[in-house]
Structure formats: C-alpha cells, structure tokens
C-alpha cells in the first residue's frame, strides 16, 4: 500500500516550526508495514492544498494529513478535502453535541468559529480526539483513503496510536511488532561498527539505529503472521545484539531512564532524594514525569547558591572554600546532606558549570560532578560536557540517572 | 519569486531522521523576501526524484534541494537533476583537482566512488563547500534556477549562509522582518474572534495565529525596502493588536515566560525561591534554562511528601490535616516557608494533583494551587486542569510563571 504524508501549516512553510509530525507518522506507519513514497508540506493556502491532495489521490492509496483542522479561518483542511474529493461538507450533529459538552465541562465560552469543527466531508467518519476539540477525519473511497489528523503533536500522536494504527491493521495481513533497545555510554558510530555485520545481513527483523538525545536507540521490527512469531523473532534479534553490547542497554521497550530507575526504586523499596545545582530541577522534573513517583521520590533541593548549599544541605564552608562548589568534595557532601535531610535511602546530587558563563581555566564550562550516597558510602563521578547550556543540563541529568540505574541493578 | 524546497533521503521518508534542514532553509529564504510554496521529501529513489524535480520546475522559479550529493550509490541528486533538466552530467576537471587536494591535505585515501562528486549537469556551476567533499550545484535556466546542497546540516547551513543567500540578493529588492507576540490566559479561537477584522484586512504586514503549548503566538511579518520601514510597519501593527489585547501579551519577541520573568527579576533586583510539589522541579528547570539565572534564583525545594513540607518548609501539621496538601492554606505556607528558608525576596509555590492517580471527588486530578509571597503578603490562585500528567505539570508552571510576571510588572 503506497502512503503519502501531507503536513499542512504556514508556520511549517515559513520554517517557524520544524515538522516533527511527519517523521513521527512515518516511523509508526513504516513499522506497520506500509511504504511511504512522498511527504509534502503546504501552507494554509486552499488552492495549493487542493492541488497537493488531488495529486496524492492520483499517486497514493493512503493519504495522511496533519494540521489545518482547528477552528480558525486559516484552518482549511476540511474544505480542501471536500473540494479535492468532491464530497461536500456537512454538519455532524453528534459531533456538535460532543463539542458543546467539551466547552461546558471546562466552563469555556464556545466561540462561533468552533462550529466549523463539526463539518465533515460527505461519507466521512470522525476519528476521536481525546486531547482536543478538533476531531480527525476518515474518508474511505474506492481507490484511496484519506486520514486527516490535527497538527498539535500531542493530539496527533494520541490519535495515531490509539485510533489510526489499529484501523490500518485491516490493510496488512502480516502483523508488525517492533522493540526499541536504548543504549547509553556508547556513541552511534561506535555501536554501528560493533554491529555492522548484524545490521547488514538483516532482513526480518529489520534494524535501524537512531540517534537519541545523548543516547542511541536501536529499533528492531519483525513481520510475522502472529504476535507470538513476531516476539520470537524479536527475542532472537535482541539476544544477538545483547551478546555484544549488553552492558550499554538499559531498556528494551523505549523507556526513559527516569522510568527505568523509578521501576527499580519501587521494586527494591528504596526512596530517593535529589540535590541539584546546575540541573536546576531538571532531574526532579524527569523523576516526577513518571506517574506514581511519589512512592519512591522523597523530594529534592535546588541549591543554586553556595549559601543555600551550606544552609540547606549542610555542606561545609571549608569544603566550598577549599575545593569550590563544583568539585567531588562538595557534590559528595550535597548527596549526603540531602539524603539525611529528606531521611531517604539514597541521595543523588549534581553540581557543574552549565555555561555559557561561569567557567575558567581550572573549572571550564561543561565540567560537572555527580554523587550518589547510600547509608554506607558515597561515590562521585566527573564529566566534561561540550555543548550549550541546555545540552549540558540534559546530559548531567542523563549521567546522574544512569549511575543511579547501574547502582540499582547491582544491589 | 516562487520557491520550492526538496529534501532528499530515505532516512527522512522512514522517519528515522527529522528534517530540520527544510525549516532552516525556509526561515532564511523567507527572511530574504521569497515565498515558499511547497516543501517535498523524497527517498533515494531516482524515478520519484525526477518526478518531483520535474513538477517543481513547472510550478516554481527557484528550487532548492538538500541531500543526495554524497559519493555513495544511493546519492542520486546529480543524476536526477540531469535527467529532469535535460542537462547531461560532465566531469569538471577543476573540481577533480579540488577533491584530490582535499584528500591529500587530510592524508585520506580517495576512494573511487568519490569521483562521482566531480560530475556536474551541463551549464551548472559549483557552490563551494568549506566543510565537506560534496560541492553544491547551481543551475540557472531561463524559467527556473536549481540550487542543490548537501544534506549534512552543518555543511548545508554554511553553504546557505555564505554562498546561497548572498547570491539570491540579486533577485529581491525587498527585505522581510517579523515579530512574534505571545499571549497567555486567552485561547486561540477567542483571540481570533477579538482580532478577526484586523486579521482579515491584513496585507502588509501579514499576521498568523499559532497555537503554542498552553499559549498563543501571533506572528507579524512585514515586507519593506529597509529595516527601518519594516520596523515601522511592525510597530504600527503591534499597536493595533495591543489596543484590544494588551493584557494578554507578555512578549513581543517570542520569549519564554521564564525568560521574561528572569529579565524582570534582574531589572528589579529581586530574588526568587521556589517550593514545588506537583511540578516536581519543572519550574526550577525552566528558570535555570535561562543563562545568568543564578543572579536572581536563590534555589528551590521539591517537597513531594507531607513530611518534607513540614520539615523542609515549616508547613503546619494542623494546616495539612485540616485542609490537605493541595489547598490554598498549604500552598501559601509553602511559599512563605521557602521565602524565609532561602531568605529571598519572593517565594513561589505550586501544589496540585498531576494525575493520573491521587484524585478524589473533593480534590480531583488537575486541581492545582499556586501561591506567591513577598515581604508583606501572600496571594493564592486556584486552577482546574484537564489533560494528562505532563500537560498538567506544564500548565501549572505556566500559570505560576504568569502570576509572577503580572506581579513583577505591577510593582
């Protein structure tokens, strides 16, 4: 089945927004066993949208669009689909009720332009949108199918995974399952070299290396007649990968480090407290992004100044004077301090120079220290990072979570 | 001049790589006064590349491609340009010399496939590539111009800014400037209703409403013969917008709330301390994403448990028993507590139920309280949010920063 993706939005054409939707859809659709031939981006211009849709209808069997379903005047996807397919727009009463309720629940004023969102091309069905007001559109014709989704990434992603992908199952006999291994402490090119022969001889399952944010992903995708058979293929593939690189793998289902760490803390019945300097709360934010984290997260302190390190964490004045705030000694006292203060089993701390300012010859920008303290001992780690402030903060949190992960897998 | 951007690469079509090149090019090209009508992405497939180029030649005057210029077998952009334009490939001797030197300088072995990179369509000129082996291609014909650049972002960006943009100057007299207003506390559809007539009669500058993450953006774009004249147009437009919606606007240059708040804190010489419960560190993370935030950010406490609220912030046991942790009373004591503890001018606190668990009839998921305390008084706010955990955390931080912003603009 030939698939074409159309991204709609003037902000995309102007380059004000990077189109992450197309890649997201492409990955899921490819993983479902379909072939994407084209991706096109058009602005909120009716004629060009109609022109693009008409061409897609000629050359593709499944056309997936994102964007242009909102309530405003420059949201023209409905109109463009109606014109290019010859299916006039009609008001969907059930949809109107849903929309009215949506606004009632939130005590919002429903403005007139919202009414636009209850229009559907003749013969089309709606696709549920759990997260927003704009429903998706499913239009099945003899030679092609059009699926229109909103452009807001969160809404589109939820709609794609919960509604669209299950619907597409009927078009492919074989079922496709994929598994994402996540690697840390090894670069993409090194990993590729180590797995070269495996990656080259792959057919089913297929494997793709993807660079993540300071980590590497390997997606294994198997095609089989049953879930059981697919799982077997995935298990075998994962095994051969692990034989060479097990020590770098921290997840085999695309989890974030914070989630893996959270599950381990819960399983072992341990509590965690955080003392953050350069990460400024990022670590706590990642830990608490995981539902149920209150079960193992005691809390944290963001000690940005020396004063607060002394007053809040009991770091010795002498230590700060002698070694500075960014040092093994200080970060160790931070981890021990927060562990005692929050009376938790473990204390994890980060201190460093995120940049762009604050560095010097001895303590350059990107220098970070991490400490992990339990009842018996405190272990410290040193890293030198090399990019901008946001990256340095992110990688500091990655390393901190990774060392905690290693600790938890060893006890 | 009508411009079309074509991104080439199978990794893009598979969604293994997000196309950041198209947006980068679009922004620079738009800022140079050109109108982009289409962006297309094709895999490394010769027929589809030729098909796409042929269509672009028909409908656009300037065609910019990225990718497919490398030495490997699946780099087919040269061949596709030659076929779609009818300009056969010829070996460019000067280019061969350049390539030979490139490898000699670096003591690399020049493999045979590199020779491919010295082929140029008849009548084309090369565009220098300071960072890599693959030169760009410039082909000027009567009705259209094709510019082909490599896909490696670094090489493409250097080539675009140092070679392509200066070359394009000859095609446009006008220059383009844009300004982004950011709105909070008003929805996209409501805002559009309030500005409908202005948005409708716009020509120069043009205006576009963009939905942000819990906020709305309005981009104003002006075309003029000088930067001064463009600024004047932008100023006038901003003024008319402000006449109606000034109270919702917190930035006129696309800043994040945390950045706006940071500048105000610095300007007023005030320090801030945070007490975070449901946001778990997100507020601190956003504040410290801003370089130089250590000047006004004293630090924060992430008090996830009642115990830590009592021990770390001095929240009264009685308050927690009588009103619960998620209440005006508790959040007020948190803000006052952290302000005293960090001896800062201001204390900002958030407590709520992010979900999915932890809610009940009286205190449902999405209920959040915010408190802002200064020396004299503490003000509290209540909100009910309606989405998932990540969204509820984000919006809690948005509201907290916004109330702080309002406070700082009023004193």
């Amino acid at each position: 089945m030939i698939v074409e993706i159309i991204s709609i939005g003037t902000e995309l054409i102007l380059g004000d927004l990077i189109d992450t939707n197309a890649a997201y859809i492409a990955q899921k659709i490819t993983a479902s066993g379909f072939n994407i031939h084209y991706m096109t981006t058009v602005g909120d211009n009716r004629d060009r949208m109609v022109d693009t849709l008409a061409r897609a209808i000629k050359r593709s069997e499944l056309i997936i669009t994102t964007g242009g379903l909102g309530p405003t005047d420059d949201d023209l996807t409905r109109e463009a689909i109606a014109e290019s397919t010859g299916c006039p727009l009609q008001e969907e009463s059930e949809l109107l009720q849903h929309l009215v309720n949506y606004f009632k629940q939130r005590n919002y004023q429903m403005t007139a332009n919202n009414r636009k969102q209850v229009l559907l091309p003749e013969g089309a069905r709606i696709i549920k949108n759990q997260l927003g007001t704009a429903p998706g559109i499913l239009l099945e014709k003899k030679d092609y199918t059009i699926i229109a989704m909103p452009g807001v990434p969160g809404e589109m992603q939820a709609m794609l995974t919960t509604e669209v992908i299950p619907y597409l199952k009927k078009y492919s006999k074989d079922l496709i399952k994929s598994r994402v291994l996540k690697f840390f402490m090894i670069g993409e090119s090194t990993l590729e070299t180590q797995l070269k022969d495996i990656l080259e001889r792959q057919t089913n399952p297929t494997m793709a290396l993807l660079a993540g944010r300071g980590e590497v992903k390997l997606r294994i995708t198997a095609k089989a007649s049953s879930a059981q058979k697919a799982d077997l293929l995935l298990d075998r593939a994962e095994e051969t990968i692990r034989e060479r690189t097990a020590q770098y793998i921290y997840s085999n289902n695309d989890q974030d480090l914070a989630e893996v760490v959270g599950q381990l803390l819960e399983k072992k019945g341990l509590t965690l407290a955080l003392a953050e300097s350069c990460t400024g709360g990022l670590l706590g934010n990642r830990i608490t992004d995981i539902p149920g984290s209150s079960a193992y997260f005691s809390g944290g302190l963001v000690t940005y100044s020396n004063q607060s390190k002394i007053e809040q964490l009991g770091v010795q004045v002498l230590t700060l004077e002698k070694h500075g705030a960014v040092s093994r000694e200080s970060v160790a006292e931070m981890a021990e301090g927060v562990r005692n203060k929050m009376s938790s089993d473990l204390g994890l701390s980060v201190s460093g120079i995120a940049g762009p300012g604050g560095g010097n010859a001895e303590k350059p920008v990107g220098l970070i220290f991490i400490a992990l303290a339990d009842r018996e001992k405190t272990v410290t780690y040193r890293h030198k990072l090399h990019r901008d402030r946001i990256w340095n903060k992110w990688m500091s949190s990655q390393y901190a979570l990774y060392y905690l992960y290693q600790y938890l897998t060893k006890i």
Side-chain angles (χ1 to χ4, degrees), chain A:
Chain A
M1 188 170 205
I2 294 172
V3 184
E4 176 156 0
I5 298 173
I6 301 173
S7 305
I8 296 159
T10 298
E11 65 273 27
L12 297 170
I13 281 288
L14 292 172
D16 288 342
L17 193 68
I18 291 172
D19 184 7
T20 56
N21 284 349
Y24 185 91
I25 296 167
Q27 232 179 48
K28 298 274 185 236
I29 292 294
T30 306
S32 306
F34 301 98
N35 299 320
I36 293 159
H37 280 197
Y38 297 95
M39 296 182 188
T40 312
T41 306
V42 275
D44 301 309
N45 172 293
R46 183 167 174 158
D47 294 345
R48 288 196 281 279
M49 284 166 68
V50 171
D51 164 50
T52 303
L53 277 162
R55 182 174 318 102
I57 287 168
K58 279 203 212 74
R59 68 187 179 185
S60 306
E61 294 155 287
L62 173 63
I63 298 134
I64 300 177
T65 74
T66 57
L69 289 180
T72 66
D73 284 347
D74 56 7
D75 291 310
L76 298 166
T77 303
R78 279 180 207 78
E79 291 78 353
I81 292 176
E83 187 175 336
S84 56
T85 60
C87 305
L89 291 176
Q90 303 173 329
E91 187 160 304
E92 176 85 9
S93 54
E94 171 208 335
L95 210 51
L96 182 59
Q97 200 42 56
H98 166 81
L99 196 63
V100 171
N101 295 338
Y102 179 95
F103 281 91
K104 200 176 288 160
Q105 275 172 26
R106 291 160 172 71
N107 304 316
Y108 292 161
Q109 169 70 7
M110 175 170 159
T111 52
N113 49 9
N114 274 290
R115 219 181 153 90
K116 194 173 152 170
Q117 297 177 99
V118 307
L119 295 174
L120 273 187
E122 188 178 27
R125 282 178 281 152
I126 69 158
I127 308 173
K128 278 202 220 69
N129 180 349
Q130 287 108 326
L131 302 179
T133 59
I137 297 172
L138 169 62
L139 180 60
E140 285 177 319
K141 306 294 276 184
K142 192 171 136 300
D143 304 327
Y144 61 91
T145 298
I146 296 179
I147 291 173
M149 297 189 287
V152 180
E155 298 181 19
M156 181 281 291
Q157 290 169 17
M159 187 178 288
L160 184 73
T161 45
T162 63
E163 307 288 331
V164 176
I165 297 295
Y167 159 81
L168 290 175
K169 289 264 175 290
K170 74 175 186 183
Y171 290 109
S172 73
K173 309 158 265 7
D174 274 344
L175 120 191
I176 300 238
K177 284 191 85 174
S178 67
R179 186 178 296 182
V180 173
L181 306 186
K182 292 184 85 178
F183 300 76
F184 193 64
M185 290 285 196
I186 183 168
E188 187 180 10
S189 52
T190 315
L191 189 57
E192 186 181 26
T193 315
Q194 291 194 19
L195 302 176
K196 203 168 186 7
D197 53 322
I198 299 177
L199 295 173
E200 273 166 359
R201 68 161 183 264
Q202 56 168 310
T203 51
N204 184 26
T206 60
M207 302 183 196
L209 274 179
L210 321 171
R213 196 174 171 200
E215 57 188 20
V216 185
K217 298 179 177 199
L218 176 71
R219 195 184 57 240
I220 314 172
T221 307
K223 204 172 202 167
S225 56
S226 77
Q228 220 170 0
K229 286 182 181 139
D231 285 328
L232 199 67
L233 289 168
L234 293 174
D235 292 339
R236 280 210 210 95
E238 181 176 342
E239 213 170 289
T240 53
I241 299 291
R242 281 189 184 273
E243 276 165 16
R244 296 186 194 180
T245 57
Q247 68 271 34
Y248 304 109
I249 301 173
Y250 70 83
S251 169
N252 68 352
N253 64 358
D254 205 6
Q255 289 171 300
D256 184 76
L257 259 171
E259 191 178 353
V260 177
V261 161
Q263 290 173 339
L264 286 166
L265 285 167
E266 190 149 25
K267 196 162 119 234
K268 314 232 175 210
L270 296 172
T271 57
L272 172 72
L274 302 171
E276 304 188 58
S277 184
C278 64
T279 47
L282 173 57
L283 256 178
N285 184 43
R286 291 183 66 181
I287 293 280
T288 58
D289 274 349
I290 310 305
S293 43
S294 49
Y296 48 81
F297 181 50
S298 317
L301 277 110
V302 179
T303 52
Y304 227 54
S305 64
N306 279 357
Q307 189 196 1
S308 61
K309 288 184 181 69
I310 296 161
E311 292 174 2
Q312 308 306 322
L313 292 173
V315 175
Q316 301 298 312
V317 180
L318 206 71
T319 311
L320 291 169
E321 283 171 351
K322 191 147 172 260
H323 306 284
V326 179
S327 64
R328 285 190 189 276
E329 293 74 6
S330 297
V331 81
E333 289 186 23
M334 285 169 68
E336 290 152 10
V338 80
R339 186 184 161 275
N340 295 329
K341 212 163 171 49
M342 298 272 177
S343 41
S344 60
D345 301 307
L346 303 172
L348 181 64
S349 65
V350 186
S351 185
I353 301 157
N360 60 44
E362 190 205 348
K363 301 271 178 87
V365 166
L367 179 67
I368 63 150
F369 291 94
I370 293 164
L372 178 59
D374 64 12
R375 201 186 297 96
E376 287 91 28
K377 63 186 182 316
T378 303
V379 187
T380 61
Y381 306 87
R382 179 189 182 284
H383 283 279
K384 174 72 179 71
L385 305 169
H386 299 278
R387 293 200 206 165
D388 63 12
R389 180 181 183 86
I390 304 297
W391 175 263
N392 292 344
K393 283 179 69 182
W394 174 258
M395 285 310 290
S396 302
S397 74
Q398 283 286 83
Y399 281 116
L401 288 170
Y402 185 73
Y403 291 128
L404 175 57
Y405 160 76
Q406 286 197 311
Y407 171 90
L408 292 168
T409 50
K410 290 197 182 88
I411 57 168

